Amino acid sequence: MESVKRVEIVTVAVERAALLAALERAGAPGYTVLRHAEGFGNRGHRGADELTDVFENVYVLVACTQDVAERIAAAVRPILNKFGGVCLISDAQSVRS
Amino acid sequence: MESVKRVEIVTVAVERAALLAALERAGAPGYTVLRHAEGFGNRGHRGADELTDVFENVYVLVACTQDVAERIAAAVRPILNKFGGVCLISDAQSVRS
Amino acid sequence: MESVKRVEIVTVAVERAALLAALERAGAPGYTVLRHAEGFGNRGHRGADELTDVFENVYVLVACTQDVAERIAAAVRPILNKFGGVCLISDAQSVRS
Amino acid sequence: MSFLADNLLNPPLLFFILGMAAVLVKSDLELPQPFPKILSLYLLFAIGFKGGVELSHSGVTPRIAMVLGAAVMMALVVPVYSFFLLRGRVGVDNAAAIAATYGSISAVTFITAGAFLNATGIGYSGYLVAAMALMESPAIVVGVLLYRMARRERSAAEKTDWPALLRDSFFNGSVFLLTGSLLIGAATGEKGWEAVSPLTDGLFKGVLCLFLLDMGIVAARRLGVIRKAGLFLAGFSVGVPLVNAALAIGLSRLMGLDRGDALMFTVLCASASYIAVPAAMRLAVPKANPSYYVTMALALTFPFNVLVGIPICFAVISRLWG
Amino acid sequence: MSFLADNLLNPPLLFFILGMAAVLVKSDLELPQPFPKILSLYLLFAIGFKGGVELSHSGVTPRIAMVLGAAVMMALVVPVYSFFLLRGRVGVDNAAAIAATYGSISAVTFITAGAFLNATGIGYSGYLVAAMALMESPAIVVGVLLYRMARRERSAAEKTDWPALLRDSFFNGSVFLLTGSLLIGAATGEKGWEAVSPLTDGLFKGVLCLFLLDMGIVAARRLGVIRKAGLFLAGFSVGVPLVNAALAIGLSRLMGLDRGDALMFTVLCASASYIAVPAAMRLAVPKANPSYYVTMALALTFPFNVLVGIPICFAVISRLWG
Amino acid sequence: MSFLADNLLNPPLLFFILGMAAVLVKSDLELPQPFPKILSLYLLFAIGFKGGVELSHSGVTPRIAMVLGAAVMMALVVPVYSFFLLRGRVGVDNAAAIAATYGSISAVTFITAGAFLNATGIGYSGYLVAAMALMESPAIVVGVLLYRMARRERSAAEKTDWPALLRDSFFNGSVFLLTGSLLIGAATGEKGWEAVSPLTDGLFKGVLCLFLLDMGIVAARRLGVIRKAGLFLAGFSVGVPLVNAALAIGLSRLMGLDRGDALMFTVLCASASYIAVPAAMRLAVPKANPSYYVTMALALTFPFNVLVGIPICFAVISRLWG
Ligand SMILES: Nc1ncnc2c1ncn2[C@@H]1O[C@H](COP(=O)(O)O)[C@@H](O)[C@H]1O
Ligand SMILES: Nc1ncnc2c1ncn2[C@@H]1O[C@H](COP(=O)(O)O)[C@@H](O)[C@H]1O
Ligand SMILES: Nc1ncnc2c1ncn2[C@@H]1O[C@H](COP(=O)(O)O)[C@@H](O)[C@H]1O
Ligand code: NA
Ligand code: NA
Ligand code: NA
C-alpha cells in the first residue's frame, strides 16, 4: 500500500483531448476516463441528451503523487476557468504488488 | 484550494429525476451524473442489461460544503430506504481559481 | 453515519466477471460498476473505441468495512498484476437509515 | 406435434434459442446496450404504425369496439383473480406486482405470434394492435388498487403518488410510442405507409430475429434466479397463461373472430409484461421483488409462450374453428 | 391555410409533434443515446451520397456555380447583419454566437423540406446538397471574426486558436461526413447508388420519423429555458428566418430556379444551426451562453420552420412562380 | 494497374479512405460506441445467414468437405510457421499472439472481398462462409499451445485456464453469432431467406460503407503506434499475408475452385484477426503486447488487403485461371 492523491476532474466533453494531453504533460502516471457524464453547475444543466457533444461532460480520475497532483491542479485551473467544471483532490491508499 | 465534502450517491435509475431535484432543493451547487451503472447489493444483482430501466442504477457526485452535505444526507436517506443504494461522504480539496 | 472504506478498482473490461466474483468471495456487501471506461497507464492508451472489448476498462466502487477492504485488496492484487489497472482505498462516511 | 416443430423452423424462434444457447455455453455474445432498447422501440413503432394504417381502412366498427371492450375487460379481470390466488403465498406486495404483470401484455409475444401466423399464410386485423395498446396500462392500476386496499389498515403513512403512477402507466415510453405510432398511422393511412414501410415492414422480420436473440440471452441469464421463485410461482408462470388463453379462445369464439384474430387476441391475454409493469411497480410497490415478477414473465412465461404456447393455441383454434 | 394542414399529415412532422407531446405529458419516452447521433450520421450520409450521385449527372454548370456562390454569400451576409442587430442587446459574445448560428444551416430542416416537397410530388436538384455543405462553415468564421474585431481593444491576452477553429468549422464531424459522402456519391455515380440506395433511400423517410421524434423531445425539453432568452430573442428566432427566407426567395427568382430548388435554397438560408455551430462556439467564444443560441435554434426556429415556415415559403413560391 | 483504380471506385473502400482522412485532418468525426459493434454484429449475422441458406442448397459435397479441410489446415499451419519466424525477434509471448492473429481470419476483409467480387459481377459459394467460421478459432489454440510448449520449462506456476481458453476461442461472441446464423440459415433455407433478406441483403452494402468508415478511423488512429512495432513487424504484416495468399492460390488451383471461390479462400488465408484473437490472447498470453498484434492486423494488414491485396490476388487469379 502506498499513499497517493486521487485527483478527479469534471469538465466539458469537447475539451477531453486537451485535458488528457495536459494531464500527460503534468506527469500523470495514468488516468481513467468516463465519458457521457451529465451535470449541473454554474452554467446550468448539461444534459447529455443533445445531438451535439456541447452539453456533455467528461469525468477523469488520476491516482498520483502529491507533486504531480499539484502540477495537475495548475494545469487544469485555466481549463476550468474557461470551460467550467470541478477538480477535487483527496487522499487514498494504492494497492500495488 | 478549498476544503469540501464529496458526496457520492448510487441508487436506482428510475429515481434519477427525483434525486436530482432533491439535491437542488438541498442546495447542491452542482453535481455530476453517470448513468447506466450496474451493481450488486441487498436487492441482488442489478444488471443494466435489461430491456427496462428497472435494473439500472445511477451514480451522482456532488462537491459541496459540510452544511449542504448534511442536508443532502437527510434528503437522500428516504430515497435510499425506499429504493436502495448507498450514499458516501468523504473529504477533498477543491481546485478553484 | 458509519465509517467505511471506499475501494475503487479499475482494470480491463474482459476481467469484469472474474473481478466481481472475486469481490463477492471477499465479502463485499455490494458494489457499483461503470463500464466503458477509457484510460492510460503502463500499458499505453486504452481507447474504448475499438471493435473488441480488449481495449476497454471497467470501474468498480465498493463501500465496505476495513476488514473486507483488506480482503479485497488481496483478491484484486493478482488481477492487477496480470492485467494491469489500479485499486485505491480511501475513507468515507456512509449515510444509512 | 408437427406444429411445434414447424414453429421451430421460424428464424426468429431459432435466434431466441441461439441466444439461450449462448448463455448456456458461456459465450460472451451480447447485443451491447442500448441496441436492445432501440430494437424494442423500432418494433413498437413499426407494429403501431401498421396497425394504425389498417385501422384507417376498417374504421372502428361496433364489432371492433366489442373486441376492444373484451380486451380491456380481460386486462381488468386477470389481475384480480391472480391477486387472490397469490396473496396467501407470496404476500400482498408480490401478489400485486405479479397480478399486474399477468394482466398486462408483452408486445414481443404479440409480434412473435404475428410472425408465426405470417409464416402459415394467415394475417390478422390492425385493430388488435389497438387492443394491445389498451391492455397495457389498466392492469397496472388494478394491481396498485388491490395493493392499496389490502394495505389500507396497516400503513397510513405510506402513500401512493397517484399522478406519478397514472403517468407511468398510461404515458410510459413504450405505451406512448405504440399509441402514438398507431394514431399517426391511422391519420396518414396508405400514404404514410408508403413512406415508412421499407423501414417498418421490410426490415421487420430481420430485426425481430436480432431482438429475439437478445431476449434469449436475457431470459437465459435470468433463469438462474428462478429457483428463488419456487415451484408454486413457476407453475403459476405457465398455468395462468394457459387459463387465460382458454378464456380468450372462448371469448374469441363467442365474438366470432376469425382464426388469425383469435390467435392474436389469445396471445395478448396469455402474455405477461416485463417492460411497462416493472417500471411502474418499482415506484408504486417498491417492496415487491422484481426477481420474482420480472423473472417469471421474462424467463418462464415468455419462452413458454413463444416456444410452445403460440403453436398450441393455434392448433386448438384451428381445430375448434374447423 | 390548407397547406399548413397538409404539412401536418406528413408522418415525420407528426412524429415531431409526438415527441413534443411526450415531454408535455411527462412521458419517459426517449431515444437512448447514442441512437439520435447515429440517426443524424445516417441522414447526413444518405443525403450527401444522393446529392453527389445527382451532381455526377448534372456536372457543375455555370448556373450551378452561381447558385453555390449565392449560397456562400448568404452565409457570409446573414451573420454580419445579425451581429449588429444583436450586439447592443445581448453583448458581443452572445451576438457573435447567435449570428453564426443563423448564418449557418440545419441539415434536418433541409431534409424535412425535402420530405415535404416529395409529398407534393416535386423534386429538387442534387447541387443544393453541395450548397448546404458549403454554407455550414463560413458563418462560424465570420461570427468569430466579428467577435475578435469587437474585442480587439479590450483583451489582447485572450487569443483565438485559429487552426483549431478552422478545423472545427470545416472538418467538424457533420460537415466532414456530408462533404465526404457527397464526393463519394459523385465519384461512384449510378453504380454506387445502386449499392447503397436500399439503405440511403428506402429507409430514409422512416428514419426521419424516428429522428424527428427525438428532435421533438429535445426541443420541448429546451422550451423551458426559453423564458431566459426573453421576448427580443424569441422575436429574432422567428423574424430573422422570415427575413432571410424573403431574401432567398428574391434571389431564387433572380437566378431563375425552379420551384423545388427555390424552396430548398430558401430553407437553407432560413434555417439555423444547432449542431456544428455550438461545438465551435464553445471553444472560440466560450462566454457566449448556449442556453441562448442553442435554445433559439433548436426550440424556436427549428419547430417554426418545419411546422410553419416551410409550407408558407412553398405557398409564396408557388404563387410567385405562378 | 487499372484493377487497383477500379477497386477504389467501390463505395465501401472510399468510405474506408474517408475515415482515414478524417483522422488525418483531425476531424472529430466518429461513430459513437456501440454503433461499430452493432454494425459488426449485423455483418456477421447477415453473412452467416446467407452462407447457411446457400449451404442448404448445395449440401456438403465431398468437394466442399475438402475445401473446408484445406481451410482448417491453413489455419493450423500458418501460426506454426509464423511462430518460428517471430520468436527470435519479439519473444515467445508476442510471437504466439501474432501467430494466432495471422492464422485466424478477418470477417470484414472477407466481406469486403465479397463486395469487390460482386462489383465485378462474380459470386462465390456459401460454404466459404462455413470455411471462415471454421478458421476463426483453431489458430488461437495453436498459438497458445506453441506458447505453452516454449514456456514449459520456465514457469510451472503460470497455468493456462484451458476451459476458459477453449470457450473464448470457440464460443466467443463473433464466432458464435456467425456459426449460429449459418446454422439457422441452413435450417430455414429459402423461406428463412425471404423473411430476413431485406435486412441482411438489401442493406448489406450500405452498412458496409458505414462500418468501413469506422474501420478507417480506428485504423488511422492506430497507425501512430506503428513505429513501436518497427520495420520487421511492418514487413511481416504485409509479407506474410502475401505468402499465405500465394499458398492459397496454389491450393485453390489444385482443388479446382472457380475464380470467385478461389479469391474468397485466398482472402481468408491472407487476412488477420483483430476481434476474436486479441480477446483470447489477453487472457492466455497476457504479456503479449496488443499494441503489436492488434496494430499490425488492424492498421497494416487490413488496409493493405482491402486496398491492394484483394485486387492483386484477383488479378493473379484471373490471369492464372485464364
Ligand atoms: N459542485 C459540483 N459537484 C459536482 N460536479 C460539479 C459541481 N459543479 C460543477 N460540476 C460539474 O461540472 C460541470 C460544469 O460545471 P459549471 O461550469 O459549474 O457549469 C457540471 O455540468 C457538472 O457536471
Ligand atoms: N456496498 C456498496 N458499495 C457500492 N455500491 C453499492 C453498495 N451497496 C449497494 N450499492 C449500489 O446500490 C445499488 C442498490 O443497492 P441495494 O439496494 O443494496 O441493492 C446496488 O445495485 C449497487 O449499485
Ligand atoms: N495512475 C492511474 N490513475 C488512474 N487510473 C489509472 C492509473 N493507472 C492506470 N489506470 C487505469 O488502469 C488501466 C490499466 O492500467 P495499466 O495496466 O497501468 O495500463 C488504465 O488504462 C487506466 O484506466
Ligand atoms: Na396478459
Ligand atoms: Na441560415
Ligand atoms: Na489468416
Side-chain angles (χ1 to χ4, degrees), chain C residues 12 15 49-51 53, chain F residues 33 37 215 218 221 282-283:
Chain C
V12 297
E15 285 304 292
D49 66 341
E50 304 292 334
L51 298 162
D53 285 347
Chain F
Q33 278 299 0
K37 276 185 199 165
M215 290 288 294
V218 174
R221 281 190 191 152
R282 276 304 292 201
L283 285 172

Side-chain angles (χ1 to χ4, degrees), chain D residues 38-50:
Chain D
I38 292 169
L39 296 183
S40 135
L41 292 175
Y42 163 83
L43 292 173
L44 293 169
F45 162 62
I47 198 85
F49 205 106
K50 190 171 186 195

Side-chain angles (χ1 to χ4, degrees), chain D residues 56-137:
Chain D
S56 81
H57 295 158
S58 68
V60 181
T61 63
R63 149 57 94 55
I64 289 180
M66 179 183 66
V67 182
L68 297 181
V72 173
M73 196 203 66
M74 284 295 287
L76 296 171
V77 167
V78 169
V80 175
Y81 91 76
S82 301
F83 180 75
F84 289 104
L85 220 67
L86 289 158
R87 69 177 289 182
R89 293 280 196 152
V90 294
V92 166
D93 305 72
N94 285 315
I98 299 173
T101 298
Y102 282 80
S104 183
I105 56 85
S106 144
V108 184
T109 313
F110 181 82
I111 286 167
T112 309
F116 170 86
L117 261 186
N118 204 253
T120 70
I122 305 183
Y124 65 92
S125 310
Y127 69 82
L128 283 159
V129 177
M132 171 161 72
L134 288 173
M135 288 177 79
E136 205 154 0
S137 317

Side-chain angles (χ1 to χ4, degrees), chain E residues 23 34 41 47 136 147 169 200 218 226 229 242 244-245 247 258:
Chain E
V23 176
L41 293 175
I47 199 85
E136 204 153 2
Y147 169 76
S169 309
T200 56
V218 174
I226 242 145
L242 283 176
N244 293 341
L247 287 174
D258 67 22

Side-chain angles (χ1 to χ4, degrees), chain E:
Chain E
M1 306 291 280
S2 77
F3 53 87
L4 287 180
D6 275 1
N7 185 32
L8 289 183
L9 281 184
N10 227 350
L13 254 288
L14 288 172
F15 276 97
F16 181 73
I17 294 170
L18 187 66
M20 299 194 96
V23 176
L24 208 78
V25 303
K26 299 203 171 141
S27 167
D28 65 349
L29 179 62
E30 68 176 358
L31 303 202
Q33 278 299 1
F35 190 34
K37 276 184 199 164
I38 293 169
L39 296 182
S40 135
L41 293 175
Y42 163 83
L43 292 172
L44 294 169
F45 162 63
I47 199 85
F49 206 106
K50 189 170 186 196
V53 171
E54 289 178 11
L55 259 187
S56 80
H57 295 158
S58 67
V60 181
T61 64
R63 148 59 92 56
I64 290 181
M66 179 184 66
V67 183
L68 297 182
V72 173
M73 196 205 66
M74 284 295 286
L76 296 170
V77 168
V78 169
V80 175
Y81 92 76
S82 303
F83 180 75
F84 290 103
L85 220 67
L86 289 158
R87 70 178 288 182
R89 293 280 195 151
V90 294
V92 166
D93 305 72
N94 285 316
I98 299 174
T101 299
Y102 282 81
S104 184
I105 55 86
S106 144
V108 184
T109 313
F110 181 83
I111 286 167
T112 308
F116 170 87
L117 261 187
N118 204 253
T120 71
I122 305 182
Y124 65 92
S125 310
Y127 69 82
L128 283 158
V129 177
M132 173 161 72
L134 287 174
M135 288 177 80
E136 204 153 2
S137 317
I140 298 174
V141 177
V142 173
V144 176
L145 275 176
L146 290 165
Y147 169 76
R148 299 305 319 160
M149 280 159 54
R151 282 263 150 200
R152 196 173 19 184
E153 58 280 15
R154 276 185 261 170
S155 58
E158 199 189 321
K159 266 173 74 181
T160 299
D161 179 353
W162 280 102
L165 177 69
L166 290 173
R167 192 176 65 221
D168 278 6
S169 309
F170 288 96
F171 295 145
N172 106 38
S174 65
V175 179
F176 193 87
L177 181 59
L178 180 68
T179 313
S181 303
L182 186 95
L183 293 175
I184 293 177
T188 61
E190 210 51 43
K191 229 175 138 183
W193 182 240
E194 247 169 63
V196 305
S197 64
L199 178 65
T200 56
D201 204 41
L203 306 191
F204 196 78
K205 282 227 181 133
V207 172
L208 185 58
C209 289
L210 290 175
F211 188 69
L212 286 186
L213 176 66
D214 185 67
M215 289 288 294
I217 294 173
V218 174
R221 280 190 192 153
R222 291 245 134 223
L223 263 180
V225 198
I226 242 145
R227 271 152 299 161
K228 271 195 202 163
L231 217 62
F232 172 72
L233 290 182
F236 185 98
S237 313
V238 172
V240 163
L242 283 176
V243 171
N244 293 341
L247 287 174
I249 291 178
L251 273 174
S252 301
R253 199 80 182 119
L254 281 177
M255 298 188 293
L257 301 187
D258 67 22
R259 285 197 298 166
D261 290 1
L263 180 68
M264 299 308 276
F265 179 73
T266 301
V267 162
L268 285 178
C269 298
S271 69
S273 165
Y274 43 76
I275 296 192
V277 172
M281 287 301 137
R282 274 307 288 203
L283 283 173
V285 194
K287 289 214 175 74
N289 187 346
S291 305
Y292 289 172
Y293 58 91
V294 177
T295 304
M296 290 165 68
L298 192 64
L300 287 177
T301 304
F302 177 74
F304 173 75
N305 274 335
V306 297
L307 295 174
V308 183
I310 294 172
I312 285 186
C313 290
F314 188 66
V316 169
I317 289 171
S318 294
R319 172 160 300 220
L320 289 178
W321 266 239

Side-chain angles (χ1 to χ4, degrees), chain C residues 70-90:
Chain C
E70 276 162 24
R71 263 179 288 143
I72 290 178
V76 159
R77 202 171 278 127
I79 296 179
L80 298 184
N81 282 341
K82 191 158 181 198
F83 299 105
V86 289
C87 174
L88 304 178
I89 303 185
S90 54

